Amino acid sequence: MTITTGKVYIVGGGPGDPELLTLKAKSVIESADVIIYADSLVHPSIVDFARPGAEVHGSKTLSLPEIMDLTLKSVQEGKTVARIQSGDPSIYGAVLEQMRVLEAEGVDFEIIPGVSAAFAAAARLKTELTVPDVSQTVIMTRFEGRVPMPPGEQLKDLAAHGSTLVIFLSITRMFTIVRQLLEAGYTEDTPVAVVYRVGWPDEQIIRGDLTDIVAKVRESKITLQAMIMVGKAFDPGLLKTEPGAKNGFSSSHLYSSDYTHLYRRA
Ligand SMILES: C[S@@+](CC[C@H](N)C(=O)[O-])C[C@H]1O[C@@H](n2cnc3c(N)ncnc32)[C@H](O)[C@@H]1O
């Protein structure tokens, strides 16, 4: 990748494990003059890739104006800035407000995608989020907090679809989430997994269903940095069960010998 001097790179830093950085993210970090990284969620070892003499700032104690002042000042000095966010910047990354300032100031910027905690958690759970006959839709959402949900996006509205749910930023609302999911029609035996700090040394995985997950999470004392994953796709039994109508799910057509697609005839 060619790194352009005097440019801002908004980089997905992944969920924590530095080996989940993309090669592009690593190249940007290695070349940047200034690194501003979300030290609340991005693993500090990513800074080990910085070149000697690079300026490194944690952003967790900085306000948005402070981050943007630092970014603009650095760019005006002809420096290349790596702004490293957790996971993928497009998901709850508060990135629009940063891009708007860069756009208004005529600063060249680029986004480097990252591995979202959603996908790192799915991988850790050895789960396919879209299993034929179970769910072909993934809803990524959060429970309403200080940020109000737009009309039609309350959890109960989304839950009406019965699809795979991936819930960010909401672990402290577990009790209400479970109540609303049951009211919306998820059955008590719906599998739920909570993945705390996926990719970090203190990662925890809690599995249960809608009857026991609240108690299990309470017992774990997890109160932040967790993904809540809900739906039949999270049934660990799917790994060991033969697909078929009787078992409620089927295999994808992709590898079926009687299925013709662009690259292979039946
Ligand atoms: C501000 S959002 C950022 C999400 C990020 N952009 C992403 O794509 O993963 C922070 C929330 O993401 C989730 N999260 C981020 N990193 C995580 C991790 N390593 N393990 C579990 N959940 C994580 C948690 O729900 C946390 O409250």
Side-chain angles (χ1 to χ4, degrees):
M1 171 180 189
T2 311
I3 308 291
T4 309
T5 313
K7 180 167 169 176
V8 176
Y9 292 88
I10 299 174
V11 179
D17 177 353
E19 292 193 320
L20 288 180
L21 281 177
T22 64
L23 293 177
K24 279 198 174 184
K26 184 167 171 277
S27 298
V28 169
I29 297 167
E30 284 168 346
S31 316
D33 302 304
V34 179
I35 296 173
I36 307 171
Y37 78 107
D39 47 345
S40 50
L41 284 167
V42 173
H43 200 281
S45 65
I46 60 119
V47 171
D48 296 346
F49 296 122
R51 62 170 182 73
E55 249 178 71
V56 177
H57 303 266
S59 63
K60 75 176 176 210
T61 54
L62 300 178
S63 65
L64 181 66
E66 284 170 334
I67 292 171
M68 296 320 295
D69 284 352
L70 178 59
T71 305
L72 294 176
K73 183 175 142 295
S74 305
V75 169
Q76 278 151 13
E77 289 168 0
K79 294 176 177 165
T80 303
V81 178
R83 169 74 179 109
I84 308 183
Q85 312 248 146
S86 76
D88 183 85
S90 70
I91 306 282
Y92 302 115
V95 82
L96 180 61
E97 40 272 66
Q98 302 175 57
M99 295 193 290
R100 259 201 229 111
V101 174
L102 299 174
E103 187 76 15
E105 295 293 329
V107 171
D108 189 14
F109 68 92
E110 180 176 339
I111 300 185
I112 310 293
V115 176
S116 172
F119 300 116
R124 190 56 101 223
L125 295 167
K126 299 194 168 87
T127 293
E128 177 174 354
L129 300 175
T130 52
V131 180
D133 297 334
V134 170
S135 170
Q136 290 290 283
T137 304
V138 182
I139 295 180
M140 290 195 192
T141 189
R142 61 173 299 170
F143 196 76
E144 185 164 51
R146 278 179 291 183
V147 180
M149 297 304 272
E153 290 195 17
Q154 298 283 338
L155 185 61
K156 61 181 167 42
D157 303 319
L158 303 175
H161 298 280
S163 51
T164 303
L165 284 176
V166 173
I167 307 174
F168 290 76
L169 290 160
S170 307
I171 192 67
T172 57
R173 307 306 305 277
M174 205 64 216
F175 177 81
T176 315
I177 288 171
V178 166
R179 185 169 42 79
Q180 292 198 4
L181 293 180
L182 289 169
E183 282 168 10
Y186 281 77
T187 53
E188 288 190 338
D189 63 353
T190 304
V192 185
V194 167
V195 185
Y196 169 71
R197 282 169 64 85
V198 60
W200 290 72
D202 56 350
E203 171 186 291
Q204 279 187 58
I205 294 176
I206 301 172
R207 284 185 183 268
D209 60 25
L210 287 174
T211 64
D212 61 8
I213 197 71
V214 172
K216 288 180 174 176
V217 169
R218 201 171 282 150
E219 202 179 317
S220 73
K221 306 214 167 17
I222 294 171
T223 56
L224 77 178
Q225 293 179 18
M227 298 299 308
I228 305 166
M229 324 281 278
V230 183
K232 292 205 162 58
F234 297 105
D235 178 356
L238 291 178
L239 260 182
K240 296 180 186 131
T241 312
E242 277 302 304
K246 146 169 101 57
N247 291 325
F249 74 105
S250 56
S251 295
S252 159
H253 288 311
L254 186 61
Y255 301 112
S256 167
S257 57
D258 56 5
Y259 184 71
T260 293
H261 61 65
L262 189 58
Y263 303 103
R264 199 197 62 217
R265 296 206 60 76

